[in-house]
């Protein structure tokens, strides 16, 4: 079959290209504001509806070009192209079938034929199959020696490109998401194509090269990243809708990074983590001067946020203390129980601090120099959308949380956490006070969640038990695992995906959770280390089959009971 | 005679109905290498676990430089007893350097706040720890692989890395549990030289090994453990000649043992 690789790729690519140009639907899909154009035949239909065709053309051409140009690690490059093409073709074909009235819609109906979708799917499958027949090659590593200013320039370009990619991703198919019936497939097509692009970059070693570079110029990268984040309101995301969404992503990203300390670094499974965010939110709400608040005082926000963080941190220490005795699954159950207790207590307003099912509404808007955080703002003649100050506040929050995570990870304490995750008994035998450090992990994570909660309450102007239910904990955990355990970009990406996808997939209302679950399963199957993997975990999971367990034998695995009991006594 | 640096007094360890150790005593003098041999299941590893606080002995005491050791493994390490494991127990997905840095943990003083803010003294401490870790890696002969993940090292190198990690805790006493298991003859010889060099640093060493030739040519004193009891102790010559050892430990016909011992002696004086 090896000899067939090339012909298969060529044929597949050509079929993809032709398929993209053929009609895809036998009749006009009847929903949407421009029914006459809604045949999925145009490149320039409403909201760039048919941009999927453009992607397919590009991917098909890429398949041809990459097949002929000399290239190292062709197999990975072409696999990325193939997967991307297959994704785009399948998504749109399935959409037409599902939304446009069955199989006839993509084949023959009323004497009209439309085989574009079928052709593209088959072509992409052939292309992908051909790619799999290519000889395996070692991973390409590129590491040219460049002067530092050239590296800065490349980083700058890379980050700006990343920013554009993100804004494009988020706005793929329109802004508000409600008016466009095709936003779902548009967004997913875009995601597939962007995924293929990133896959190719990864295969030729570019992503690794750039991430190594940003590691080398850490400070510079941080500055550029912050600048990019600050620039967001000035891009096409600069409207009320996206300010709210991005602010939400930011709050959850900050919380996810905090959770990442507990789960990703120290390896302690916490299923009730969102409760700490809730505690922070309620503390801040009660100190905000809201009418429904228990205390009639209004602390300055900064102070209230600090108090919220401290209180959440104390609860973190309390919840973390069972880690002295319980491990693994049992700890997960303890934290799960804590989360549930928190929800019940706040739902029933036990203690009178949570407003029960009435929540604590009307938390006063924050203000700075007389400008309310919910007002819009004009800087240098540019009108920024309302809520932009909250957005900036949340950028600061995320930056702060990143700082905490990054510094702790690269310290004596962070190493000890990772050692606990890897092998707790040995960590202890090497002198790590595992009990104290595990509680510290819980405390730190909880404090960060509490801070995020304080911001969250003000942004929403409400603190309600409803926002801190079990499913939020699970989503956060999924964000951490999906994005990549133990990494900052991973947690941010995970939070972004998990809290944006539901928005973009609104169209599939009934199926979106199904989709979501499916995507998670697929990612975990093919990339268990998460999208942006920690160097350590990547290696750990990537060559699992090769080295496997091997290192752990019995000896001190058995006397866990003995050792555990002793630790508790100490 | 000065007090031994490490002293185990009548250590017994009972697991349920099984007596794994019965009144085992051991004295380790400063700057010496003591060997611990015995058949499988004799209780050698259990004894190490008792020495390092991983197990609390049912009865008996362990003293370091005359002071009773605390019952917590972390504190035992801080007090100056470090060890390696029979089944290598590195932190597999940390790099080689990070493994050794973890060994430095107990000698570093940076608390949560310093770790959070990375101030100048933090950075100095961190740099010093890195220097020391690199020094130790060079010492055990792993100078070039500090950024490899420890799980990717060949077997023999993993054993050496475990030793470097243990040395990073600045121990007074180093306990090595079968440090040459699975090594080829060259690696075994290198390990022997390494243990001598460790001894020359002033660190006292206890070595568990099944390879009697290795033990007899390495150690100043040898203890033989059989079914949880100390059978014989003394210099290699004494132990080697003891008929009970020949019978109980080696469990081979005497003539075969003689041949083996012959070989050992020849190996010693080539
Ligand atoms: N935690 C434990 N619980 C119950 N029994 C144990 C425990 N640890 C060790 N044992 C038992 O104690 C005995 C001594 O075991 P140990 O591992 O110390 O032997 P060893 O001399 O190190 O043997 P080997 O040469 O095979 O390493 C064995 O019978 C073992 O099953
Ligand atoms: Mg043993």
């Amino acid at each position: 079959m090896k000899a067939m690789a090339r012909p298969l790729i060529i044929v597949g690519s050509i079929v993809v290209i032709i398929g993209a140009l053929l009609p895809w639907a036998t009749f006009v899909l009847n929903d949407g504001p421009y029914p006459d154009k809604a045949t999925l035949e145009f490149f320039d239909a409403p909201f760039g509806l048919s941009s999927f065709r453009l992607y397919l053309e590009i991917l098909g051409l890429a398949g041809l070009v990459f097949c002929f140009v000399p290239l190292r690690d062709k197999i990975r490059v072409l696999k990325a192209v193939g997967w991307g093409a297959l994704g785009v073709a399948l998504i749109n074909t399935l959409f037409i079938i599902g939304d446009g009235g069955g199989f006839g819609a993509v084949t023959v109906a009323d004497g009209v034929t439309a085989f574009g979708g079928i052709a593209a799917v088959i072509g992409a499958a052939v292309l992908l199959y051909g790619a799999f027949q290519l000889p395996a090659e070692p991973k390409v590593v590129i590491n040219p020696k460049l002067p530092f200013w050239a590296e800065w320039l490349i980083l700058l370009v890379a980050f700006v490109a990343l920013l554009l990619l993100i804004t494009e991703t988020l706005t793929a198919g329109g802004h508000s998401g409600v008016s466009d019936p095709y936003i779902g497939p548009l967004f997913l097509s875009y995601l597939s194509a962007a995924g293929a692009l990133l896959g190719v970059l990864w295969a030729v070693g570019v992503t690794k090269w750039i991430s190594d570079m940003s590691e080398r110029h850490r400070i510079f990268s941080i500055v550029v990243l912050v600048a990019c984040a600050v620039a967001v309101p000035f891009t096409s995301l600069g409207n009320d809708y996206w300010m709210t969404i991005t602010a939400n992503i930011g709050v959850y990203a900050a919380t996810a990074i905090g959770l990442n300390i507990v789960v990703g670094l120290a390896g302690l499974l916490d299923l009730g983590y969102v409760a700490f965010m809730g505690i922070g939110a309620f503390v801040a709400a009660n100190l905000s001067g809201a009418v429904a608040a228990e205390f009639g005082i209004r602390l300055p926000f900064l102070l209230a946020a600090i108090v919220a963080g401290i209180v959440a941190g104390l609860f973190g220490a309390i919840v973390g203390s069972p880690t002295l005795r319980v491990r693994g699954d049992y700890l997960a159950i303890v934290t799960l129980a804590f989360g549930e207790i928190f929800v019940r207590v706040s739902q029933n307003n036990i203690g009178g601090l949570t407003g029960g099912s009435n929540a604590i509404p009307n938390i006063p808007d924050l203000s700075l120099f007389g400008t309310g955080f919910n007002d819009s703002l004009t800087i240098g003649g540019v009108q920024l959308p309302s809520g932009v100050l909250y957005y900036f506040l949340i950028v600061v929050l995320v930056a702060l949380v990143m700082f905490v995570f990054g510094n702790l990870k690269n310290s004596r304490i962070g190493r000890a956490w990772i050692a606990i995750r890897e092998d707790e008994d040995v960590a202890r035998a090497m002198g790590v006070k595992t009990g104290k450090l595990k509680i510290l992990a819980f405390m730190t994570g909880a404090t960060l969640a509490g801070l995020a909660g304080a911001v969250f309450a003000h942004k929403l102007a409400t603190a309600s038990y409803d926002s801190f239910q079990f499913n939020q904990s699970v989503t956060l955990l999924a964000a951490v695992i999906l994005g990549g355990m133990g990494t900052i970009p991973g947690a941010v990406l995970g939070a972004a995906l998990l809290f944006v996808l539901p928005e973009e997939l609104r169209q599939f209302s009934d199926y979106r959770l199904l989709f979501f679950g499916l995507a998670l399963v697929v990612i975990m199957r093919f990339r268990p280390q998460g999208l942006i993997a920690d160097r350590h975990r990547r290696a750990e999971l990537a060559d699992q089959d090769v080295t496997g367990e091997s290192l752990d034998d019995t000896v001190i695995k058995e006397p866990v009971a003995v050792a555990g009991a002793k630790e508790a006594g100490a | 005679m000065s007090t031994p640096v490490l002293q185990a007094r009548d250590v017994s360890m009972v697991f349920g109905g099984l007596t794994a150790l019965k009144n085992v005593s051991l004295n380790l003098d400063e700057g010496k290498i003591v060997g611990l041999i015995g058949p499988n299941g004799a209780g050698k590893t259990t004894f190490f676990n008792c020495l390092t606080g991983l197990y609390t002995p049912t009865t008996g005491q362990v003293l370091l430089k005359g002071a009773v050791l605390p019952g917590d493994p972390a504190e035992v390490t801080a007090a100056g007893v470090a060890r390696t494991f029979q089944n290598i127990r590195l932190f597999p997905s940390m790099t080689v350097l990070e493994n050794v840095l973890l060994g430095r943990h107990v000698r570093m003083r940076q608390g949560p706040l310093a770790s959070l803010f990375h101030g100048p003294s933090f950075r100095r401490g961190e740099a010093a720890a890195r220097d020391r870790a690199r020094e130790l890696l060079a010492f055990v002969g792993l100078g070039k692989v500090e950024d490899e993940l420890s799980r990717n090292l060949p077997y023999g190198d993993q054993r050496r890395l475990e030793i470097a990690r243990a040395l990073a805790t600045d121990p007074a006493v180093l306990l090595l549990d079968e440090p040459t298991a699975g090594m080829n003859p060259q690696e075994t010889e290198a390990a022997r030289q390494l243990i001598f060099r460790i001894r020359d640093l002033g660190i006292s060493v206890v070595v568990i090994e099944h390879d009697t030739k290795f033990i007899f040519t390495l150690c100043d004193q040898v203890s033989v453990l059989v079914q949880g009891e100390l059978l014989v102790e003394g210099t290699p010559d004494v132990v080697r000649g003891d008929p009970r050892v020949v019978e109980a430990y080696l469990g081979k016909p005497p003539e075969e043992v003689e041949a083996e011992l012959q070989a050992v002696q020849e190996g010693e004086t080539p």
Side-chain angles (χ1 to χ4, degrees), chain B residues 240-253:
Chain B
R240 188 160 43 192
D242 194 301
R244 287 171 302 170
V245 177
V246 174
E247 189 195 318
Y249 173 63
L250 299 170
K252 291 174 188 166

Side-chain angles (χ1 to χ4, degrees), chain A residues 558-559, chain B residues 15 18 20 38-47 55 86 178 210:
Chain A
E558 303 164 324
Chain B
F15 297 112
L18 178 94
N40 289 108
K44 304 181 297 292
T45 300
T46 304
F47 186 57
Y55 295 170
Q86 180 172 351
E178 305 201 11
H210 282 291

Side-chain angles (χ1 to χ4, degrees), chain A residues 33 45 98 293 316 327 366 451 489:
Chain A
R327 291 193 188 187
L366 296 177
L451 281 178

Side-chain angles (χ1 to χ4, degrees), chain B residues 181-262:
Chain B
M183 284 188 171
N184 63 33
Q186 288 81 27
E187 287 175 324
T188 304
E189 182 51 33
R192 179 212 310 280
Q193 297 308 330
L194 178 60
I195 295 172
F196 281 137
R197 282 191 290 135
I198 291 171
R199 193 250 340 254
D200 294 342
L201 293 176
I203 297 171
S204 318
V205 185
V206 184
V207 190
I208 295 177
E209 254 312 334
H210 282 291
D211 181 347
T212 45
K213 179 183 166 195
F214 181 78
I215 285 286
F216 288 145
T217 53
L218 177 79
C219 301
D220 302 304
Q221 292 277 321
V222 179
S223 293
V224 184
L225 208 57
V226 175
Q227 294 187 351
E229 287 184 79
L230 201 58
L231 190 71
V232 183
E233 63 179 326
T235 61
D237 283 329
V238 170
V239 172
R240 188 160 43 192
D242 194 301
R244 287 171 302 170
V245 177
V246 174
E247 189 195 318
Y249 173 63
L250 299 170
K252 291 174 188 166
E255 55 274 21
E256 209 176 292
V257 173
E258 266 316 305
E260 193 170 283
L261 295 180
Q262 203 64 42

